[in-house]
């Protein structure tokens, strides 16, 4: 039985989720919790190779091939890293997970969202996040923050970005209990305070169960 807590950080590129994940790790560790930080794609050696293909390949990767690569990374990550960490009672903080596939491959690349849910279910074999923080930011603000060389996914364009963003907002409406929406156009500090409150709520709810 799962003893730890599984918290995922989601949002479009440039939403600031990685910044918040690192701040939350520090916050939880200062409170004495045992945390591990991980990410998709590319947490394990197996996934690093997949990540390299997904983000850096010059080849014209088909939408279906892209989808299966993200799912293969996830299946391995869940079995070999996330499940064992949760069974050890750790708090797992994961940068991107199942909702990224629904938002990017589903709403962004127009793969069937219901089919993706089924494939995600196979990949995660019963492990569901206790909480997902969704950082929502406008395309204009994200672009200002990502003033660097872009990878293959980030080169997909404005229309793709906005389709992914709308997709995330739909997912949040469907699962408001698990997915908490945060306005990430705000300063790092404001976003951090909101994130902390949501994490504290989760911990006190779980410790009362
Ligand atoms: N992908 C997919 O398609 N399907 C899947 O199933 C999965 C992933 C799992 C992974 O990219 C790509 O894979 C991603 C989705 C796709 N592609 N896209 N496009 P990644 O893991 O390399 O990177 P990322 O997750 O997209 O983004 P990122 O570079 O890590 O950015 P971020 O986490 O959103 O932001 P950040 O690194 O925290 O901050 C970026 C900058 O903004 C930095 O300078 C910060 O100091 C600054 N920042 C952060 N917050 C703020 C605020 N609040 N105000 C001002 N400035 C800020």
């Amino acid at each position: 039985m799962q003893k730890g807590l599984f918290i995922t950080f989601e949002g479009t590129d440039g939403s600031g989720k990685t910044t918040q994940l690192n701040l939350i790790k520090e916050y939880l560790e200062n409170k004495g919790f045992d945390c591990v930080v991980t990410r998709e794609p590319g947490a394990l050696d197996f996934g690093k190779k997949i990540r390299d293909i997904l983000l850096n390949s010059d080849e014209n990767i088909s939408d279906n091939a892209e989808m299966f690569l993200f799912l293969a990374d996830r299946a391995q990550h869940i079995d070999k890293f996330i499940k064992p960490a949760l069974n050890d009672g750790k708090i797992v903080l994961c940068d991107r997970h199942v909702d990224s596939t629904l938002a990017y491959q589903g709403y962004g690349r127009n793969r069937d969202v219901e089919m993706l849910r089924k494939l995600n279910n196979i990949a995660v074999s019963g492990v569901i996040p206790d909480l997902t923080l969704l950082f929502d930011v406008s395309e204009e603000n994200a672009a200002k923050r990502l003033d660097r060389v872009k990878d293959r996914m980030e080169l997909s364009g404005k229309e793709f970005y906005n389709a992914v963003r709308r997709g995330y907002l739909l997912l949040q409406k469907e699962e408001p209990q698990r997915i908490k929406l945060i306005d990430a156009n705000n300063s790092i500090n404001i976003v951090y305070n909101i994130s902390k409150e949501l994490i504290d709520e989760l911990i006190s709810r779980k410790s009362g169960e």
Side-chain angles (χ1 to χ4, degrees), residues 21-141:
L21 185 152
N22 291 325
L23 290 169
I24 291 295
K25 176 181 188 271
E26 205 180 311
Y27 173 67
L28 290 173
E29 283 180 346
N30 285 339
K31 286 185 142 201
F33 290 103
D34 191 1
C35 291
V36 286
V37 161
T38 190
R39 69 167 176 181
E40 293 184 6
L44 308 174
D45 279 350
F46 172 89
K48 285 195 181 92
K49 291 176 192 145
I50 293 182
R51 183 182 173 90
D52 189 41
I53 299 172
L54 281 165
L55 302 188
N56 303 320
S57 177
D58 292 334
E59 225 174 294
N60 187 359
I61 299 176
S62 79
D63 290 350
N64 276 339
E66 178 186 287
M67 168 185 85
F68 282 118
L69 286 171
F70 280 116
L71 288 159
D73 170 73
R74 178 159 310 130
Q76 179 81 353
H77 189 209
I78 280 279
D79 279 351
K80 305 292 176 198
F81 185 85
I82 295 179
K83 256 190 194 172
L86 292 172
N87 289 337
D88 278 352
K90 294 187 198 306
I91 299 185
V92 177
L93 305 176
C94 187
D95 198 339
R96 299 195 177 283
H97 187 56
V98 284
D99 302 300
S100 284
T101 305
L102 301 178
Y104 281 82
Q105 280 62 56
Y107 293 100
R109 300 268 195 245
N110 294 314
R111 302 292 90 190
D112 182 80
V113 173
E114 288 318 307
M115 170 193 68
L116 289 172
R117 284 188 208 277
K118 289 185 187 139
L119 293 172
N120 261 338
N121 286 343
I122 297 172
V124 303
S125 52
V127 178
I128 294 166
D130 295 289
L131 173 69
T132 296
L133 301 182
L134 170 58
F135 299 93
D136 179 63
V137 72
S138 69
E139 196 268 330
E140 295 74 21
N141 281 338

Side-chain angles (χ1 to χ4, degrees), residues 13-19 51 96 101 104-105 148 186:
D13 19 322
S15 58
K17 62 190 168 35
T18 310
T19 303
R51 183 182 173 90
R96 299 195 177 283
T101 305
Y104 281 82
Q105 280 62 56
R148 55 165 163 73
N186 286 307

